[in-house]
Amino acid sequence: METEPREQPTGLRARALAVASLFVAPRSPLDYLRASALPSGGHRARVVATRAECEGTATLTLSPAPRTWSAGQHVDLSVLVDGAYQTRTFSISSAPPAASARARTFDVTIRAAAHGRLTPMLVRDAKVGDDVRVSPPAGCFVLPDAGAGMGPLLFVTAGSGITPVMSMLRGSLSSDVLHVHFERTRDRIIFGSELDALAKADPSYRRTCELTGAEVNVDQMLARIRALCPDLHTRQTFACGPAPLLDAMRALYTELEIEDHLHTESFGAPAAPPAIRALAHDAETTVARLSFTRSQVNVDADGRTSLLVLAERAGLKPAHGCRRGLCRSCVAPLRKGTVRDLRTGMDTVATGGGVQMCINAPVTDVEIDL
Amino acid sequence: MSRVHPRQKLSPADAEAFAADVDALHAKVRKTLGARDRNYLLRVIRVQKIIAVAGRAVIFASVPLMPWFFHHALASKAAFLCVALAGAVLLSLAKILENMELGHNILHGQWDWMNDPEIHSSSWEWDNVCVAAQWKHSHNVVHHTWTNVVGKDRDVGYQVLRVTDEQPWHWAYLPQMFYTIILALLFQWGVGLHDIDFENVRNGKLPKAAIDAHMVAMKAKATRQLLKDYVLWPLLAGPFFVVVLAANLVANGLRNIWAFIVIFCGHFPSGVAMYTAEETENESRGDFFARQVSGSCNISGGGLFHVMTGNLSHQVEHHLFPDLPSNRYGEIAPCVRELTQKYGLPYNEGSFTRQLGTTFWNILKHSFPTGQKTTSTTTTTTT
Ligand code: FES
């Protein structure tokens, strides 16, 4: 796992730990110091407060916080669900600490996805004292130096796309900001009153909230943005929302030849896997596209041929042993998509873990880190 | 239903049906894994740590009981030896749990379904001189793929013993009872070197670089292990260095002997089937599973006994489902036994004494040139 220790222990403590670890190798002395049964390592945080936002949305305050983060970045949260960790990505919604300071806590704001399994559970059941794992903050949807020297800004957010932008707004902004937020209905607006207060207090922050109704029309949204922001070409734009809106904005900015003004972040759970396109009865049928990201190889998958065989056909030589699902020497990280165990028919959705290549076949478009 | 000889193949239809049944059982268990299983594992981890700490502490507690240096009412030779031994036994129990119920099973990936980066086959390391990565190859890949195939499965005799007629006899096997004892006493070193294919070393097929790479990694791991048990902990006892060193030596030794016994009882008691490479060519999934069943032996016993063997006393279940959590083996054993009955396959289970006794008898017997010409009889009688 790519989790660096949260804090490199320094000085005396580090030396004490190093000596102690010689006595308890191959375990870590922390395993014995901590009351919990768990071995040490990785990032952990505890829920120290929960706050209901609007209907179906909650903010979790977690502690300890990462050493630092940039407004707009996200973290992977892993929570235990019936014995197994499930991982989802969430934007940090609280402001990063000022330079040289350290934050004690940080917030993530979670909206229950309509057909999700994990987010509704988190919104409903998360309580103070729950333990979660947290990855280091990542993502390049960030505002350098709180926007200093960037000139006027435009924030376009839709739905829970407000969360990373909230982290920016809560910091000290040093520019003129126009914020266009889209939401289906008024009662779904997250952070509504806080944003109102912000707009009242700070004349350089102007905001408008556009209600779209249940039928979302991207063209209408684009038209509203252009109407509300006549000086589009002068503003650096930060947009966070569902993929279709971002795609349309990208097309518009390209057309206007200002695509370098647009910074985007898409959010939301990966779309539910499309009903398995009829598990191909004749071998010719392609049901999914398989990408080996590190080797930059793409192949078509028929839903019945294992990842291992597909990789080998494409000329790759992945490590493997038994080829029968027993030895796990063929495990490779599943970055995206859903694969199906050819023996059992069980599906595995990408949550950051690895899959056995010899017995799994792609069900949706899949990315393997190989 | 008539009994299939251990080495007889299932009919193609039966083989397919058997594979489907095995897969269905796997899927059934896999679907129900949850918090209960995780809690079991966390409890084992916790208990293991407590026993480890207790063992080390009791060893140190024996020092002030030495009548040669301390003159108080409690100090006596008997008290000292009892307490020191008790400490060594506790430490050895901790090491057994750590190596078998935790290490062996975690490194099989039995707990990878938890998505827990701290308890994962890719990152776990265990408390013995064998490097986990090397073991995952020699054991998970070689042994579990080629189970009991003579010439392919290096676990057959651990590259030093002759345990079946299929292995050609050589006069060097005559004193193999003696080798057995040495191997048992030094078992962790045997396991550590096991990923080196000595056959290929002898015939020069294994490049020297590969051997060197193995030894470099093993040396680093072994150094840490030796430093810990034979230098650092003893040093804490100051002038009584030797007491702690000896107790740790006993603890590691007992663990070695126990691991050796459990592993040998898994595949070499009487009635177990051995295979030739030709027999397993183009083997179907069903025949593969049948070989796993016919090539493995269970040891009957109580719950605690099973835990102390790392649930390898359920060797048959383990070889069918090496990636299912060990706490489930006992639960599915009745289903597995039923399946073997359905397909007329053997289900080799016996008491500890029976399995250990016949294993030793097997080794003793094969010191001598037994059954040199009988290789083909088993296959012909079954047709
Ligand atoms: S190659 Fe052994 S599990 Fe995939």
Side-chain angles (χ1 to χ4, degrees), chain A residues 79-127:
Chain A
V79 294
L80 264 184
V81 181
D82 194 17
Y85 278 100
Q86 308 271 349
T87 305
R88 296 289 184 280
T89 306
F90 299 103
S91 295
I92 299 178
S93 55
S94 52
S100 82
R102 286 207 53 178
R104 302 247 320 279
T105 65
F106 69 107
D107 290 355
V108 292
T109 302
I110 302 170
R111 167 167 283 175
H115 302 287
R117 271 193 307 155
L118 195 67
T119 48
M121 210 194 75
L122 278 173
V123 169
R124 195 183 56 228
D125 301 336
K127 54 183 188 316

Side-chain angles (χ1 to χ4, degrees), chain B residues 307-323:
Chain B
V307 174
M308 292 319 290
T309 66
N311 276 299
L312 290 178
S313 45
H314 299 298
Q315 192 75 229
V316 176
E317 287 73 20
H318 174 58
H319 265 263
L320 282 178
F321 309 112
D323 63 341

Side-chain angles (χ1 to χ4, degrees), chain A residues 47-52 58-61 122-123 125-130:
Chain A
V47 178
V48 293
T50 64
R51 185 170 64 246
T59 293
L60 307 185
T61 302
L122 278 173
V123 169
D125 301 336
K127 54 183 188 316
V128 171
D130 284 356

Side-chain angles (χ1 to χ4, degrees), chain A residues 308 320-330 356 358:
Chain A
L308 182 61
H320 64 270
C322 67
R323 306 187 73 101
R324 293 165 195 275
L326 299 175
C327 67
R328 300 191 62 88
S329 45
C330 60
Q356 287 161 283
C358 67

